[in-house]
Amino acid sequence: MTANRNTGLSERVDLWTILLYVLIVLAGALSITAASYKENTVNVFAFSHFYMKQLMWIGIAWVAALVVLLLDKRVYHMLAYPAYAAGLCMLLAALAFGKEVNGAKAWFEFGSFRLQPAEFVKIATALALARVMSTYTFSINRPRDLFRVGMVICAPLMIIILQNDTGSGIVLCSFLFVLYREGLNKWLCIPVVLVATLFIASFMLSPMLLLVLMILLCTCAEAMMNGAWRSRIVYLAALALATVLLCISMHFIAPGAMTPYAALLTVTLLSLVGVVAYACRANLRNIFIPVGLFVGTLLFLSTTDYIFESVLRPHQRDRILSFLGIISDPRGIDYNVNQSKIAIGSGGLLGKGFLQGTQIKYGFVPERHTDFIFCTIGEDWGFVGAMTVLLLLCLLILRLMRMGELQQEPFGRIYCYCVASILLFHVLVNVGMTIGLMPVMGIPLPYISYGGSSLIAFTIMLFIAVRLDASMRRFSLKNY
């Protein structure tokens, strides 16, 4: 039966996905060659060169992809929990006995080779999440099941953060998109957005403006979370009425009696009173929504200084402050990003040509073959080349989402969306940090950045989705 199952596998495999994968990997190999090649090199085929090592990793990754395709799809369902447990053990072992690289104790070293368990734990976490969420009795909005999902995601996240590899850990937060796709109540996402907004705002706004922002967020949340359209009208009416009355009093009754900040605070407080009064009249329980959010945000804001000073590392604090424009250090923390933007900008429309990028060739951009590989593409191939690579990555992500939608079983759908979410997060953060739109996190560009652990892990992750899709095609070829 196994032979029959595997017969004609090449006919069922999504060849478009494999073609996109091959094109992206080849683009990565060319970029790594451009980033690491030196003109005075005697032996261009020496194994000490990064591009030669990457070719070896590409070969190993393709062998791993073939093995993944030949295994029965049920293997991935059965091994989800064992692989997840093994991944946690590997993370703990790396934390205890691993090699420290760039401040992160997250690597195993075997001679000249290094292995980063966190890259493979992403696969195990995606499989475990798909296994948990595909059980017959699972409900995403049931507190007990949501707690199980949270534990699956948070266990590796906490260990990776303890390894001081925050960038790799934050990637697991991309699974929030998967939970939303599977029916997570959208209002449960508000606390996550609120925490991120307030954390950033606490560095950029004065206490008075921050208080106004809190009131606006809390009252808007109550008005929007209450399904009745009347509550939203009440909120807008209260805000408009308070603004009109305050303007009249400031200009005609007591001009100059209030500062602009005090006037803004008064308007928001009056709007809050109107919303709370309506909430009490409509349903007494509604009062707990704005009050609970307000108290919760006050408690969180009181801990932001502690989190920033005690939890985050010095280089992480500097990156956040630099990203927000609070500090500027062109020769220090800002150097990588500034040189990356210069390299990308100098590429122009069509680029300077393969191996002709001066910023890359003369070593002005650090980590140009790993985290900042995108600036190599931008300088050598210009805007057209950079957009082509991004288009290929976007098409691959969209293909994975299409695979997920066509899956007949929840396990395959959830796993495909997990892979798409991880790839999307990596692309957004990596490209964003090279052009200065995101803080520097040390996250590789999938299939393009140099690194054996990253390439092999991303390849296995993708081809498991391709294998699940191939099994589905056996029964529903007409959908394609």
Side-chain angles (χ1 to χ4, degrees):
M1 293 181 64
T2 303
N4 292 336
R5 253 192 323 265
N6 291 329
T7 300
L9 180 62
S10 60
E11 298 178 2
R12 303 194 305 270
V13 165
D14 187 352
L15 296 180
W16 285 109
T17 300
I18 295 179
L19 177 61
L20 290 171
Y21 163 79
V22 171
L23 291 176
I24 295 170
V25 169
L26 292 179
L30 287 175
S31 301
I32 293 170
T33 303
S36 58
Y37 178 78
K38 297 180 180 179
E39 294 180 348
N40 57 354
T41 300
V42 177
N43 185 2
V44 295
F45 299 106
F47 189 71
S48 58
H49 298 304
F50 288 120
Y51 54 85
M52 293 302 299
K53 291 181 181 179
Q54 188 71 2
L55 289 177
M56 180 196 69
W57 294 127
I58 290 174
I60 295 175
W62 287 1
V63 172
L66 181 60
V67 173
V68 168
L69 289 177
L70 292 176
L71 292 176
D72 192 282
K73 71 167 188 175
R74 292 174 294 183
V75 171
Y76 305 111
H77 190 275
M78 291 186 297
L79 292 181
Y81 291 152
Y84 180 75
L88 293 181
C89 292
M90 290 176 63
L91 288 178
L92 291 172
L95 179 61
F97 311 107
K99 173 76 173 180
E100 184 172 329
V101 179
N102 294 330
K105 199 172 183 182
W107 299 79
F108 291 121
E109 191 170 50
F110 306 98
S112 60
F113 299 102
R114 292 173 181 168
L115 176 69
Q116 188 177 17
E119 297 293 342
F120 298 91
V121 169
K122 297 172 189 175
I123 307 173
T125 305
L127 288 171
L129 192 63
R131 177 74 182 272
V132 169
M133 296 178 64
S134 62
T135 55
Y136 181 73
T137 59
F138 180 85
S139 175
I140 189 64
N141 291 311
R142 184 185 300 151
R144 181 182 62 186
D145 292 336
L146 192 58
F147 176 77
R148 291 169 57 199
V149 169
M151 290 301 298
V152 169
I153 298 174
C154 290
L157 173 61
M158 292 298 102
I159 300 175
I160 294 173
I161 290 178
L162 289 175
Q163 293 176 341
N164 195 25
D165 189 14
T166 309
S168 297
I170 292 177
V171 173
L172 298 179
C173 296
S174 64
F175 290 141
L176 184 65
F177 299 120
V178 182
L179 303 184
Y180 181 77
R181 163 61 184 82
E182 291 302 308
L184 180 67
N185 190 327
K186 62 182 179 180
W187 298 115
L188 293 178
C189 301
I190 285 182
V192 178
V193 178
L194 188 62
V195 166
T197 303
L198 290 176
F199 185 77
I200 295 174
S202 63
F203 299 108
M204 305 181 66
L205 302 179
S206 65
M208 181 69 73
L209 284 177
L210 193 59
L211 182 61
V212 170
L213 176 64
M214 288 169 54
I215 296 172
L216 288 174
L217 286 174
C218 294
T219 51
C220 282
E222 194 284 330
M224 297 302 294
M225 290 175 72
N226 189 340
W229 57 269
R230 293 178 181 175
S231 63
R232 303 174 188 178
I233 293 180
V234 167
Y235 169 67
L236 295 175
L239 189 61
L241 180 61
T243 304
V244 171
L245 292 177
L246 191 63
C247 289
I248 292 174
S249 63
M250 288 180 64
H251 286 82
F252 299 102
I253 300 176
M258 260 187 209
T259 63
Y261 282 153
L264 187 60
L265 179 60
T266 304
V267 168
T268 53
L269 283 173
L270 288 175
S271 66
L272 178 62
V273 170
V275 170
V276 169
Y278 177 79
C280 292
R281 180 178 176 276
N283 189 342
L284 187 59
R285 290 180 299 177
N286 290 345
I287 191 64
F288 294 108
I289 296 175
V291 173
L293 284 174
F294 188 76
V295 173
T297 51
L298 279 178
L299 293 176
F300 172 74
L301 286 174
S302 64
T303 64
T304 52
D305 287 340
Y306 172 78
I307 295 173
F308 188 76
E309 297 294 339
S310 302
V311 177
L312 298 180
R313 303 277 178 167
H315 69 279
Q316 294 170 338
R317 296 198 295 266
D318 291 340
R319 286 173 178 175
I320 293 174
L321 295 177
S322 174
F323 170 70
L324 296 176
I326 298 175
I327 64 172
S328 179
D329 187 8
R331 295 184 178 273
I333 196 66
D334 296 331
Y335 179 79
N336 287 14
V337 175
N338 289 339
Q339 293 300 321
S340 174
K341 291 192 288 187
I342 292 172
I344 294 173
S346 66
L349 180 63
L350 299 176
K352 298 177 179 178
F354 183 59
L355 299 178
Q356 301 303 313
T358 54
Q359 291 291 116
I360 301 302
K361 182 190 299 185
Y362 299 117
F364 289 105
V365 183
E367 308 296 337
R368 55 192 175 276
H369 62 292
T370 54
D371 297 341
F372 285 85
I373 190 72
F374 188 73
C375 69
T376 302
I377 298 172
E379 185 174 26
D380 280 3
W381 306 111
F383 176 80
V384 173
M387 292 306 298
T388 300
V389 170
L390 288 179
L391 178 62
L392 292 174
L393 288 167
C394 289
L395 288 175
L396 181 62
I397 294 170
L398 290 174
R399 198 72 187 175
L400 282 165
M401 295 173 65
R402 184 172 185 268
M403 285 182 185
E405 291 298 331
L406 293 175
Q407 290 292 313
Q408 297 177 344
E409 299 177 352
F411 180 85
R413 181 183 68 248
I414 295 167
Y415 179 79
C416 288
Y417 267 94
C418 284
V419 179
S421 298
I422 292 173
L423 293 181
L424 178 62
F425 189 91
H426 270 266
V427 172
L428 289 177
V429 173
N430 182 275
V431 175
M433 73 183 189
T434 58
I435 59 178
L437 296 180
M438 295 287 287
V440 178
M441 294 187 188
I443 292 179
L445 189 60
Y447 309 112
I448 295 179
S449 294
Y450 171 79
S453 298
S454 172
L455 178 61
I456 295 173
F458 276 121
T459 299
I460 294 174
M461 185 187 304
L462 173 65
F463 277 84
I464 290 176
V466 173
R467 182 65 184 93
L468 296 174
D469 177 68
S471 298
M472 183 276 303
R473 279 169 168 246
R474 182 185 179 197
F475 301 101
S476 55
L477 286 172
K478 62 181 180 180
N479 291 330
Y480 279 73

